[in-house]
Amino acid sequence: MPLKMQEAPQLSIVIVNFNVKDFLSQCLHSIYKSKYNFGIEIIVVDNNSIDNSTEFVRKQFPEVKLIALNENKGFAAANNEAFKIAKGRYLLILNPDTYLQEDTLQTMFTFMELHPEVGIAGCKVLNPDGTLQLACRRSFPTPWVSFTKLFGLQSLFPHSKLFGQYNQTFRSPDETYFVDSISGSFMFIRREVIELLNGFDTSFFMYGEDLDFCFRAAQIGWKTAYVHSTSIIHYKGQSTKRSSIDETVNFYQAMEIFARRHYGKSLFFLAFIALGIRFHKLIARFWKYKTEFFFILYDLIAINISLLFASLIRFGSFFSFPNYAYPTVFIALSLVIFCSMIATGEYFERRNSFWGTSFGLMIAFFVLSALTYFFNEFAFSRGVLLLTIGFATFLLPGMRVVYNLITKIGGKRSPRRLAFIGDNEKTKTIINKIEESDLVDAQIVGLISTKQKSFSNFCDLPFLGSISELQRILSKNKITEVIITDSTLSNIEYLKNIQMAKIPKVRLHFAQEYEEIIAARLINEIIDLEPTFPIYNFSRFRYQVAKRLIDISLSVFFLTLGIPLTFLLFRNGENILKSFINILIGKMTFVGTGNSTDTIEKKPLISIAEAHSNLHLSEGTISKLNQFYLKNYSPLLDIELLLKYTKGQK
């Protein structure tokens, strides 16, 4: 339905977009389907996306007010840009990766009109499988609440009022009540509150700004409410998947900023919260890369066992080398294997490939062979080395094959089982694209009807049943993905059914408009590509290691033998030595974009713009250079930019 536009709209919907054009179109479509009796305006702030989001919005949604930024300013700052032009009495802060029920806007508007003491309100926020997102109702992180959250007591005792306060897990999600804070994915706010607080605090780049806003609103007397009577779906974390942004780092940085800002008088609490954050960050990092840590441990054990058996075969003893060789040979072998696997991208890049591991072992063989020429006292037997790599070539890639088979048969890479709700051309288009893709390992099970009768069999798929039998259908047919293409289906009806089904990890996809965009994204999601947008080289672990090694090597050089060159090659010579020390200890880097909010990188000594100081670069050109640097980063690119900079100083 067309938007009800007014000169003075009652509601301004603000959406900050970053590289999620497909989700944004889905979100806007859900707004268009909404039913309400007041005027609205939609403002989309694009945080310098590189997926053609701005042109897409201009073409497909011409009535939407678009603010196209030249850099990624983060969530808080981008929303503040929209606040400057918003006209509504209320403002809805809405993530682009959300999907609304038809009644959501009207329900929230009516609630705010009836409760003038409420300054901020949020609705029930659901995951794509219909389960509740805990962040949609929270308490402020007081010392006790922080302790229970950071050290896992809430997870152990979710129904305890003593331990479950942070995410209010002891309360029913099907009641409306006041809370301390709600999720930034959906915040219905009175204009007066935004004006009194001067918008979001831009110290928060991503995460934490919603909690901080609710905290400051409570300090001046406003209440925050959780409203259970309407729901949205939130496909959490899509922007961070499609960028170099580290979600874990940003989340815990936001927690630290909040603690310092609002509990800074208690040094004990700050120290405690810092300890808890570091502990939780460590656990989160480990869990995120648990597969990689398993393979690292396995590889190191396997390569050393290979050495022992190679020694046994060649010399008749596990420990056949001279005593002085131990444990040096084990340490050297482990380090070379570890570095070789990093060089081929096998660690921390979610590859786990047969050929990548084999190539890493080939590199290790040549490196170890070369080392025996420089360290003759360890050149015991090249036969042993050849046997070691031979055994490892069986053990290391072999484990990758076993792992991939297990995950493909019964794990996260197992074939997806799809069911469609919608017997129409859109269903046919998506099915054709899925079948055309060689990458997709999916089985299209059948169609689910929105009525009691069978489909017309338009797509020649079996009829599974009606949506009223959703729980039975999903369970019996082991469905993992439900794709809705029926534009007549009420979101309220579907969300009600999916919540009643209570079958977790069944992912929901709305594909009612823009078939080409949605089909491409669905294929990516079904084959479980993370991220669904091309990975920046800058974010790859091997390049981060290489960049750090370059920083250490150059800073050591310029702090020792290269001191005479310092004042010749760099500006601000009086502070340059301090900068070199900061680079050495990891607080700075030699080369970068100069825009820390765009990459969450360290402050650079030399920005890309400074490396091209002989040219007059516009902001748009600098932005394109920054994106090129992130996407195509290599150690040689850093060296090239350094040389350009030093050449320009002459």
Side-chain angles (χ1 to χ4, degrees):
M1 63 180 295
L3 297 178
K4 296 182 177 69
M5 305 296 292
Q6 293 181 357
E7 287 297 322
Q10 298 294 300
L11 175 65
S12 299
I13 302 176
V14 178
I15 305 173
V16 174
N17 175 66
F18 181 58
N19 289 336
V20 287
K21 174 177 64 177
D22 43 4
F23 284 96
L24 175 62
S25 67
Q26 182 173 279
C27 175
L28 292 172
H29 179 63
S30 73
I31 295 173
Y32 276 66
K33 285 183 65 177
S34 297
K35 298 175 182 178
Y36 49 89
N37 58 15
F38 49 87
I40 72 170
E41 65 174 354
I42 304 175
I43 304 171
V44 171
V45 185
D46 188 80
N47 254 334
N48 197 29
S49 298
I50 58 174
D51 65 347
N52 202 33
S53 288
T54 54
E55 290 304 314
F56 173 76
V57 172
R58 289 190 180 105
K59 181 179 179 180
Q60 298 290 346
F61 303 96
E63 65 279 5
V64 169
K65 296 180 180 179
L66 178 65
I67 301 175
L69 303 177
N70 290 326
E71 59 178 309
N72 185 351
K73 292 186 174 182
F75 184 82
N79 273 295
N80 288 350
E81 291 292 326
F83 296 161
K84 296 175 183 178
I85 66 169
K87 298 178 181 179
R89 286 198 304 120
Y90 297 102
L91 285 89
L92 171 59
I93 312 305
L94 186 65
N95 274 21
D97 53 349
T98 56
Y99 200 83
L100 310 184
Q101 287 187 177
E102 290 89 348
D103 70 337
T104 298
L105 298 180
Q106 186 64 58
T107 299
M108 298 304 298
F109 183 88
T110 302
F111 178 85
M112 296 294 280
E113 291 283 278
L114 295 175
H115 298 85
E117 75 279 14
V118 175
I120 308 166
C123 67
K124 184 186 292 184
V125 181
L126 304 176
N127 293 304
D129 62 359
T131 56
L132 184 73
Q133 279 190 10
L134 297 181
C136 68
R137 38 165 205 172
R138 291 177 287 176
S139 290
F140 296 135
T142 61
W144 172 250
V145 171
S146 299
F147 175 78
T148 59
K149 170 66 175 176
L150 289 171
F151 290 93
L153 293 176
Q154 176 182 264
S155 299
L156 291 173
F157 308 103
H159 302 298
S160 166
K161 186 175 182 179
L162 181 63
F163 299 122
Q165 292 184 40
Y166 182 71
N167 289 121
Q168 302 284 285
T169 51
F170 62 93
R171 303 176 85 169
S172 170
D174 297 318
E175 297 177 9
T176 295
Y177 37 74
F178 295 131
V179 292
D180 287 344
S181 177
I182 56 174
S183 168
S185 61
F186 184 99
M187 299 181 76
F188 210 98
I189 311 173
R190 294 185 190 276
R191 169 180 287 278
E192 182 181 353
V193 179
I194 290 176
E195 291 175 346
L196 288 171
L197 298 179
N198 295 315
F200 288 117
D201 187 339
T202 55
S203 299
F204 299 90
F205 177 80
M206 182 177 289
Y207 306 112
E209 70 288 318
D210 46 3
L211 188 65
D212 171 81
F213 189 85
C214 292
F215 188 92
R216 291 187 289 131
Q219 286 182 318
I220 59 175
W222 289 100
K223 293 184 180 297
T224 298
Y226 164 77
V227 181
H228 81 284
S229 52
T230 188
S231 306
I232 68 167
I233 291 177
H234 181 207
Y235 298 83
K236 188 176 181 181
Q238 295 303 316
S239 291
T240 54
K241 287 181 181 179
R242 307 185 185 195
S243 70
S244 59
I245 295 170
D246 191 312
E247 182 179 6
T248 302
V249 169
N250 273 271
F251 177 77
Y252 290 108
Q253 281 181 346
M255 290 189 69
E256 288 187 273
I257 293 171
F258 184 89
R260 288 197 304 270
R261 186 71 47 83
H262 300 297
Y263 300 104
K265 294 181 180 179
S266 173
L267 295 178
F268 174 78
F269 175 60
L270 286 178
F272 166 77
I273 200 74
L275 176 64
I277 287 172
R278 278 156 181 76
F279 169 78
H280 213 270
K281 186 190 296 186
L282 181 65
I283 297 299
R285 283 287 195 188
F286 175 80
W287 191 252
K288 181 178 180 180
Y289 295 110
K290 58 183 180 299
T291 303
E292 283 76 2
F293 283 123
F294 164 77
F295 277 114
I296 290 173
L297 182 62
Y298 172 82
D299 290 350
L300 296 183
I301 292 173
I303 194 66
N304 284 285
I305 289 176
S306 297
L307 174 60
L308 292 174
F309 276 96
S311 298
L312 178 66
I313 292 173
R314 181 67 178 84
F315 296 113
S317 172
F318 286 120
F319 298 93
S320 57
F321 300 152
N323 290 335
Y324 67 81
Y326 301 103
T328 305
V329 290
F330 293 127
I331 295 172
L333 181 62
S334 298
L335 285 175
V336 170
I337 289 293
F338 181 75
C339 293
S340 298
M341 293 301 172
I342 286 178
T344 58
E346 278 304 303
Y347 294 154
F348 304 109
E349 294 186 22
R350 301 178 184 274
R351 295 182 66 184
N352 304 323
S353 68
F354 178 92
W355 295 112
T357 308
S358 300
F359 186 53
L361 288 170
M362 187 183 302
I363 293 174
F365 173 74
F366 286 112
V367 171
L368 290 167
S369 297
L371 288 175
T372 60
Y373 285 101
F374 291 100
F375 301 96
N376 291 325
E377 65 273 23
F378 288 94
F380 305 117
S381 171
R382 290 186 177 85
V384 170
L385 176 58
L386 190 60
L387 281 171
T388 299
I389 298 299
F391 288 143
T393 302
F394 173 76
L395 293 174
L396 272 62
M399 176 55 76
R400 268 70 175 180
V401 172
V402 172
Y403 171 80
N404 290 332
L405 283 174
I406 292 173
T407 55
K408 189 171 185 178
I409 293 172
K412 64 180 181 181
R413 297 181 185 176
S414 57
R416 307 297 184 184
R417 294 178 59 81
L418 280 62
F420 283 84
I421 300 179
D423 190 8
N424 50 47
E425 285 287 350
K426 297 181 182 69
T427 298
K428 188 175 181 180
T429 298
I430 294 172
I431 289 174
N432 289 338
K433 287 184 178 294
I434 290 174
E435 291 177 343
E436 290 170 4
S437 174
D438 295 332
L439 296 174
V440 176
D441 190 4
Q443 179 182 355
I444 301 173
V445 180
L447 295 167
I448 301 172
S449 174
T450 56
K451 303 175 182 178
Q452 295 298 322
K453 296 181 180 180
S454 174
F455 282 92
S456 62
N457 213 26
F458 176 83
C459 295
D460 197 27
L461 290 177
F463 172 63
L464 302 179
S466 70
I467 195 170
S468 61
E469 306 171 288
L470 190 62
Q471 183 176 19
R472 179 190 63 80
I473 295 170
L474 298 180
S475 178
K476 178 182 177 181
N477 296 281
K478 299 181 180 179
I479 303 297
T480 60
E481 324 279 333
V482 175
I483 302 173
I484 299 176
T485 62
D486 187 347
S487 59
T488 65
L489 176 64
S490 163
N491 298 344
I492 298 174
E493 181 183 0
Y494 181 80
L495 290 177
K496 178 181 177 181
N497 279 281
I498 194 67
Q499 289 180 77
M500 291 177 62
K502 294 181 179 180
I503 300 177
K505 298 182 180 180
V506 176
R507 296 194 294 182
L508 167 67
H509 312 278
F510 289 93
Q512 299 167 345
E513 293 291 338
Y514 317 114
E515 294 94 327
E516 294 79 9
I517 293 172
I518 299 299
R521 192 244 298 168
L522 287 175
I523 290 172
N524 283 335
E525 289 190 346
I526 291 166
I527 62 178
D528 205 22
L529 289 178
E530 287 193 44
T532 57
F533 197 74
I535 299 174
Y536 288 155
N537 272 356
F538 187 85
S539 65
R540 294 184 187 274
F541 182 74
R542 68 189 114 157
Y543 291 119
Q544 292 177 354
V545 171
K547 186 175 183 65
R548 183 70 188 122
L549 290 175
I550 289 174
D551 283 347
I552 292 173
S553 301
L554 289 178
S555 57
V556 168
F557 172 76
F558 283 117
L559 286 170
T560 53
L561 299 177
I563 284 182
L565 295 174
T566 298
F567 296 94
L568 177 64
L569 299 178
F570 298 95
R571 298 171 183 168
N572 302 320
E574 62 277 8
N575 295 319
I576 198 67
L577 295 180
K578 182 179 178 181
S579 295
F580 289 154
I581 293 173
N582 285 331
I583 293 172
L584 182 62
I585 64 178
K587 290 185 176 181
M588 291 178 62
T589 186
F590 265 99
V591 180
T593 65
N595 180 14
S596 60
T597 58
D598 188 37
T599 63
I600 319 300
E601 60 171 318
K602 301 167 187 173
K603 179 182 178 182
L605 180 66
I606 301 165
S607 69
I608 293 176
E610 289 173 324
H612 296 83
S613 58
N614 58 321
L615 303 175
H616 297 288
L617 303 178
S618 66
E619 288 188 7
T621 302
I622 292 173
S623 176
K624 290 180 180 179
L625 283 173
N626 289 343
Q627 294 293 344
F628 176 85
Y629 178 81
L630 297 176
K631 289 174 64 178
N632 302 283
Y633 174 78
S634 71
L636 291 177
L637 184 56
D638 269 0
I639 300 298
E640 180 184 348
L641 291 171
L642 273 170
L643 291 175
K644 281 187 178 181
Y645 174 83
T646 55
K647 183 178 179 181
Q649 303 306 298
K650 296 179 181 179

